Amino acid sequence: MIIRNKLKKIDLSKPGAITEIDLILHSIEDMPNLSLGQIFTLCPEREDIGSILVGLCASFYFLRSTPFNFTEWKPYKNRDFSSEEKKLIISGLLNVIKYSHIESSDEIDAIDYIYAACIALYKISPEKIEAELVKELKLKPTESLIEALGMLVGHSFKGYITKETFLLLKHFAEKNSGGLSDRAKIVLKEDVERMNAIYHFL
């Protein structure tokens, strides 16, 4: 009940929300014994929080970090994730990225959460990760989603993007002022241009 009440009060619009959820999740001693469904419903009043809980767990699992570095995720020891569970994980990982406020100087862990979520997304859905990020970016643009596309290209996950995604990033770089434009310019220069010089995908 204490954990549930803490989760209910979290404001996802504020920097540090993902870190706060992460700390609460790490306080649950039997987390490796919980199924995705149980994790998702730790705070039944907040599906957005439940989704992020699932996304964080998936990040820990695929990176083999605490609490999964020396233990199995017991409900999945002898079976793979179902298609519905994979959808839940993908949604959760996208939410981890969206609510990691990389635009705020107070969000010191944002880049790490985005990186971990990108790795997990690539491992669970390598063929769809770019399309999923682009879909979210079109719905509600954030600097974090732009940064995730940069990581997809420049951090040895996928290593390239489609021309359509390149043009979308170029659109943000050229037609928006402020954070989105600045972030898109950085991604285009430091990730896309650098990797295209090697692999010539554009």
Side-chain angles (χ1 to χ4, degrees):
M1 184 61 74
I2 294 174
I3 288 174
R4 181 174 171 179
N5 286 335
K6 286 181 179 179
L7 291 169
K8 280 168 61 176
K9 295 176 183 177
I10 291 174
D11 184 351
L12 292 175
S13 68
K14 293 182 178 179
I18 299 295
T19 301
E20 192 175 353
I21 297 170
D22 185 2
L23 291 172
I24 292 171
L25 198 54
H26 272 83
S27 72
I28 303 171
E29 292 183 4
D30 65 339
M31 196 182 83
N33 297 318
L34 301 178
S35 69
L36 284 170
Q38 290 172 312
I39 292 164
F40 183 72
T41 56
L42 283 171
C43 184
E45 298 88 351
R46 296 282 305 272
E47 287 194 2
D48 52 354
I49 297 292
S51 177
I52 290 169
L53 288 167
V54 167
L56 286 171
C57 280
S59 294
F60 304 151
Y61 179 69
F62 285 113
L63 267 67
R64 305 306 295 172
S65 60
T66 307
F68 294 111
N69 49 352
F70 297 115
T71 187
E72 295 283 347
W73 196 346
K74 290 184 181 176
Y76 305 100
K77 185 175 181 180
N78 297 311
R79 73 173 181 90
D80 196 5
F81 301 111
S82 69
S83 59
E84 288 302 313
E85 287 169 333
K86 285 181 180 180
K87 287 179 184 177
L88 192 62
I89 289 173
I90 290 169
S91 176
L93 291 167
L94 290 170
N95 279 327
V96 169
I97 293 170
K98 284 191 291 184
Y99 293 108
S100 292
H101 296 280
I102 198 171
E103 74 282 357
S104 171
S105 59
D106 295 329
E107 182 68 285
I108 58 174
D109 297 319
I111 198 76
D112 294 327
Y113 287 120
I114 295 169
Y115 183 76
C118 282
I119 290 175
L121 273 171
Y122 188 71
K123 287 188 175 182
I124 199 165
S125 186
E127 72 286 352
K128 293 182 180 179
I129 178 174
E130 182 178 342
E132 293 285 357
L133 288 169
V134 166
K135 182 172 72 173
E136 294 295 331
L137 184 60
K138 287 179 177 178
L139 286 172
K140 188 176 181 181
T142 68
E143 287 187 48
S144 297
L145 287 164
I146 291 174
E147 182 66 26
L149 282 167
M151 288 183 179
L152 185 66
V153 182
H155 290 257
S156 300
F157 302 149
K158 193 173 181 182
Y160 68 92
I161 52 171
T162 64
K163 186 174 182 180
E164 289 74 19
T165 300
F166 166 72
L167 291 174
L168 180 63
L169 289 171
K170 193 175 179 183
H171 163 79
F172 281 109
E174 293 177 349
K175 298 199 173 183
N176 289 279
S177 59
L180 290 173
S181 175
D182 293 342
R183 184 70 56 180
K185 287 173 183 174
I186 292 170
V187 164
L188 286 169
K189 181 70 176 177
E190 296 185 1
D191 297 308
V192 178
E193 184 179 314
R194 176 174 60 86
M195 296 303 284
N196 188 54
I198 300 170
Y199 296 114
H200 309 290
F201 51 84
L202 293 174

